[in-house]
């Protein structure tokens, strides 16, 4: 009866074949990786070329007839008269600021309501929300004391 021949697993030929197979696999993965990004890069280049061609065509095809009226600076079709400085009232800025504060407040209330309903979070989230509402109340009280909320 013939005995099977045992070949050492750490022979140089086996090590070389395993190393070559691993290198081939890594090279294949790198090629797939860069191929995916090459598509994105190609689309980016095409997008930039499209915009550049559109702007270039617009510059070449538009009529250029500068007149003093066309070179005037205007806003909303009104000819500029007087100084460029206009007086604006600060209260409009404050109204916008207060709106943003209370819009953010409402944005935080909805997620809080969903977490508050979850088991184990009730007392902690309730205290946190009252602290948050307390800060907003202090801001509202400050605005009221300063007379910002007076409409007349």
């Amino acid at each position: 009866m013939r005995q099977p021949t045992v070949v050492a697993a750490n022979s140089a030929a086996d090590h070389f074949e395993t190393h070559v197979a691993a290198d081939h696999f890594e090279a294949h993965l790198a090629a797939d990786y860069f191929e995916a990004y090459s598509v994105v890069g190609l689309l980016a280049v095409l997008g930039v070329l499209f915009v550049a061609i559109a702007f270039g065509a617009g510059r070449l095809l538009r009529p250029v007839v500068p007149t003093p009226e066309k070179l005037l600076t205007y806003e909303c079709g009104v000819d500029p008269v007087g100084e460029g400085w206009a007086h604006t009232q600060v209260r409009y800025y404050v109204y916008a600021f207060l709106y943003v504060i209370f819009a953010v407040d409402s944005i935080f209330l909805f997620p809080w309501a969903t977490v508050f309903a979850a088991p184990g979070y009730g007392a902690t989230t309730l205290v946190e929300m009252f602290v948050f509402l307390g800060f907003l109340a202090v801001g509202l009280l400050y605005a009221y004391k300063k007379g910002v909320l007076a409409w007349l």
Side-chain angles (χ1 to χ4, degrees), residues 26 32 59 71 74 82 89 101 116 119 145:
E26 289 175 6
D32 289 344
R59 180 175 282 262
L71 297 176
Y74 69 96
Q89 301 221 0
I101 288 173
F116 181 70
K145 291 287 186 184

Side-chain angles (χ1 to χ4, degrees), residues 26 29 33 47 59 69 72 84 93 97-98 110 113 118 137 142 145:
E26 289 175 6
L29 284 178
Y33 178 79
R59 180 175 282 262
E69 291 83 16
L72 276 177
Y93 167 75
F97 189 66
L98 287 173
F110 290 112
Y142 177 78
K145 291 287 186 184

Side-chain angles (χ1 to χ4, degrees), residues 11 24 27 38 49 53 75 77 81 90-91 99 102 107 120 131 141:
S11 69
H24 178 70
S38 66
L49 282 175
I53 289 170
E75 185 172 339
V81 178
V90 177
R91 67 179 174 184
Y99 169 76
F102 289 104
I107 288 171
V131 168
L141 182 65

Side-chain angles (χ1 to χ4, degrees), residues 32-106:
D32 289 344
Y33 178 79
F34 287 118
E35 182 181 345
Y37 276 108
S38 66
V39 172
V40 172
L42 179 65
L43 286 175
V45 168
L46 287 175
V48 168
L49 282 175
F50 180 75
V51 170
I53 289 170
F55 275 116
R59 180 175 282 262
L60 291 174
L61 297 175
R62 72 176 178 219
V64 180
V65 185
T67 62
E69 291 83 16
K70 287 183 180 180
L71 297 176
L72 276 177
T73 303
Y74 69 96
E75 185 172 339
C76 299
V78 178
D79 290 332
V81 178
E83 296 181 9
W85 293 96
H87 297 286
T88 57
Q89 301 221 0
V90 177
R91 67 179 174 184
Y92 298 120
Y93 167 75
V94 175
Y95 292 143
F97 189 66
L98 287 173
Y99 169 76
V100 167
I101 288 173
F102 289 104
V104 168
D105 176 36
S106 65

Side-chain angles (χ1 to χ4, degrees), residues 2-45:
R2 191 167 183 203
Q3 295 291 329
T5 311
V6 177
V7 179
N10 291 333
S11 69
D14 288 341
H15 181 68
F16 179 74
E17 289 175 7
T18 305
H19 187 65
V20 169
D23 284 346
H24 178 70
F25 181 71
E26 289 175 6
H28 186 63
L29 284 178
D32 289 344
Y33 178 79
F34 287 118
E35 182 181 345
Y37 276 108
S38 66
V39 172
V40 172
L42 179 65
L43 286 175
V45 168

